Each structure stands twice: as C-alpha cells, then as structure tokens.
Amino acid sequence: MQLLINGQQREFAELSETSAVSDLLAALHLKGDRVALERNGEIVPRSAWSETRLCDGDKIEIVHFVGGGKR
Amino acid sequence: MQSSSCKQAERYSRQVLFAGIGPAGQERIGQSQVALVGVGATGAAAAGLLARAGVGRLTLIDRDFVEESNLQRQVLFDEADARESLPKAEAARRKIALFNSEITVEAHVADLTPGNVHELLRGADLVLDATDNFETRYLLNDYSVEQGRPWIYAAAVGAYAVTMNILPGETACLACIFPEAPGGTVETCDTAGILNTAVNVAASMEVAEALKYLTGQQEKMRRTLLSVDQWSNEWSEVRTERPRTDCRSCGARDFVHLRGEGRAHITLCGRNSVQIHEHGRPVDFAELAARLRPHGDVRSNDMLLRFQRGEHVLTVFKDGRAIVQGTTDVGLARSLYARFVGA
C-alpha cells in the first residue's frame, strides 16, 4: 500500500485495504500514546485508530507529543 | 535630548515598519503581559524575543539553576551564571535588563503547581509554555480552559520542534489532541540530546503566534499542531480547529490537573533525599539502563535501578516510583526525575 506520510511517499508491503490506522502505527514502530494522527485532513482520535481503515494513497500526517524544551 | 517615547520609537522602528505590527500593534505589545513557564532552552530564547519585541510585562517562572551543560543552547545565560548556579528565572531577568530596561520583568524561582498557578499567572494576557514536562502542560491547559485565556504549547527534543496554539472556545485544547500524557519512559533532552537550532525554531514559532495574539489578530493564528524535524526535513501538521466534544478539559470542564490529581506526589523521605511517588509509569529497566549508561553509573536488579550522577543517586522502582538521594530540594529532585526517567 502506498501512503503519503508527512508529505513523503512511502510503500508498505505489510499493509492492505483491510489494515487500520493502528496497523500503520505498529508498522512505523510508534507508540500510540505519543502521537497525533490526521488522515486526509481529518484528525483520527486515538479511540478510533483500530476501526479506521486505510486506503491506497491516503494522506497521513503524524505529529509526536514531545515533552522537552526547557532543560 | 530625546524623550523616552522617541527613544522607544527608534528601538522598535523596524518592527513597527512591518505591516503586521504598525504603530498601533506596537502600542498594544507594550501594554501586554505575558507569562513564560520554564526558562530553559525554549524559554530563554522566547523570553529574549518577547523582551526585545517590547512586551511590557514579562513573568518568568522556573525552578532550576544554570549549569554548564545549559550553555550550548540557553541563549540568555553565560559562564558566570553557571559558576554561580544562578536561578534561571533571575539570570534571565538580569540579562534582559541589559538590553531592554524599559520593560518590567518579574522572576519567580518556583515550580508551577496547582497551588500557585492562579497566583503566578494572574494578569497574564497569554501564557507561553517552555517547560520540560507533560504534567505542567496539562496544568497550564486546565488553567487556560478554566480562565478562557490562551496558551501556546512548544517543545523540542533532538532536532524535532513542535508547537500548538490553544485558544479556549475556538480551537482544540491539548487534552482534545492528547487525552493523557505518554506512559512509561520518554525521551528527554538529557537522554536523546537536543540541537540548539530546534529550540530556537520552537521559540520563534510560539513568539510569532504570541505577537499576533497580543496585537489583536487572533484570526491569523495557526490552527494546527505543527512539527518540524530539522534533521529529516519533515514538516507535519494536524488540524486543531475543532475541539473534541468528549474532551475532559474543554468539553466536560473537569479540571483534574488544577485539582492536583494525577500529579506525582512528592515527600521528603529521611535525610538528604526526596521520594517521588509517580504512579502508572511502569519502567523497563533494560531500556532505561541503556539510555542512562552514557550519563552516569547504572546498576540494576529485579526490583530497582540505581543511577548515580555526580552527587545525586536516583533509585527507580518498577512502578515508576523513585528516591532521589543527595538533595532535599523537591524541585531539583523532580527535575532530575523529569530529565532522566521521563517528564
């Protein structure tokens, strides 16, 4: 499956039309409680990640929840 | 002799020339009050920008002292500040007075807590985040939503900078996007490192948004959670223009962080040590040991991990609880914990 992630075209052999957003996060080795994800311009709340299916060509934006800055 | 208003006109002339600010905008900036929570890397950069831009009243809040390892990126501090272990808020206030003596800067050497948040942030038109931990950010978020006053989230780790404007009643709040702080251990500037360029990006972006707000141009403020990775050159944005209807904070107005719930409970235990009763942060000793090894001596067994760095010893337990030996300073203990275990 081809996905546009943060503006970059990526190919995922392990993902298909039955895969969900949660499968993509697993494929990217991302921990679910520290990212926000948008699919085709709509934010997908964490509670809907396992039931939100991916489609070929989806435009995905992922932003990490970062805690640093001060030290 | 020039009058003080003429001198001011000269000082801010290039900023006033910019069409987005103008004389009226500059006037408003001069009459505004901004609170900055955290005066480390992002905070020092942001404080410098706000002060040079002419924000009339600045409140600086920070619990830490200047150390030599800060000088790589914390732009308001120098070697003398590190030698004297000057509190960051005070060192920043003194440095700002050297380049803009016409504004008022209040320095508070304090940890922002549910007990002092209303007092320390009173009067601020806008609150800028430059802290090193999630707990304080959720406290700021609850405060902002409760008061209907905006705040701006900004953070950086490695080469990665991230920021978001929170405008209560208009945009999503932090808890809409991230309902809870990450569990387990997280990368911090003391484990993953930090580029000084990333903190300056975070600070510049949040101060530019602040200037829009202070000059009454709220409609021009960005409605996204934005990240910039300066190493991979990836930029990403998630829309934040709609609050989540089932949000605990801005939906249900259930301000658990203002009530101090979910906050790591800290007590002094015995002599020269502080206990941090962190809950719900199960620790993977192998992972933590690998991250800490470059920074000090690490030993662990099945029950605890012991990390020695200079005069301080952190003993971390499986559930995330820790004892910090070598200090009775609660702020310092909390800071060491945030730096090395997770914020």
Side-chain angles (χ1 to χ4, degrees), chain B residues 39-181:
Chain B
V39 191
T42 306
L49 294 171
L50 292 164
R52 287 183 195 275
V55 170
R57 295 178 68 86
L58 271 181
T59 304
L60 308 179
I61 303 159
D62 194 286
R63 67 189 175 194
D64 281 325
F65 301 85
V66 181
E67 294 173 70
E68 198 182 347
S69 69
N70 302 150
L71 302 181
Q72 165 248 3
R73 65 198 176 285
Q74 303 192 7
V75 295
L76 288 180
F77 311 134
D78 59 33
E79 292 176 2
D81 299 331
R83 269 197 304 276
E84 292 167 38
S85 298
L86 218 56
K88 291 181 178 180
E90 175 59 18
R93 190 189 66 76
R94 293 185 194 177
K95 213 54 58 75
I96 288 169
L98 298 177
F99 62 79
N100 195 346
S101 57
E102 291 165 0
I103 62 169
T104 305
V105 181
E106 256 180 62
H108 296 280
V109 183
D111 197 14
L112 195 75
T113 66
N116 64 18
V117 62
H118 290 92
E119 182 197 331
L120 292 180
L121 301 183
R122 183 177 299 132
D125 302 301
L126 178 67
V127 181
L128 297 196
D129 156 41
T131 72
D132 59 357
N133 67 88
F134 296 111
E135 186 179 306
T136 306
R137 291 191 172 97
Y138 282 104
L139 177 62
L140 281 181
N141 190 68
D142 275 4
Y143 172 83
S144 151
V145 172
E146 183 203 48
Q147 300 286 316
R149 294 266 175 98
W151 73 285
I152 302 179
Y153 160 56
V157 163
Y160 196 81
V162 55
T163 182
M164 171 181 169
N165 300 323
I166 291 97
L167 304 168
E170 277 191 48
T171 69
C173 76
L174 186 74
C176 290
I177 306 294
F178 300 108
E180 284 142 26

Side-chain angles (χ1 to χ4, degrees), chain A residues 33-68:
Chain A
D33 60 355
R34 49 199 74 183
V35 293
L37 184 142
E38 187 185 278
R39 174 176 170 266
N40 300 330
E42 290 286 332
I43 191 162
V44 183
R46 212 175 282 179
S47 53
W49 285 352
S50 56
E51 69 223 31
T52 304
R53 297 251 177 276
L54 295 167
C55 295
D56 205 46
D58 273 355
K59 188 172 174 290
I60 306 286
E61 293 279 311
I62 297 171
V63 176
H64 294 256
F65 192 16
V66 161

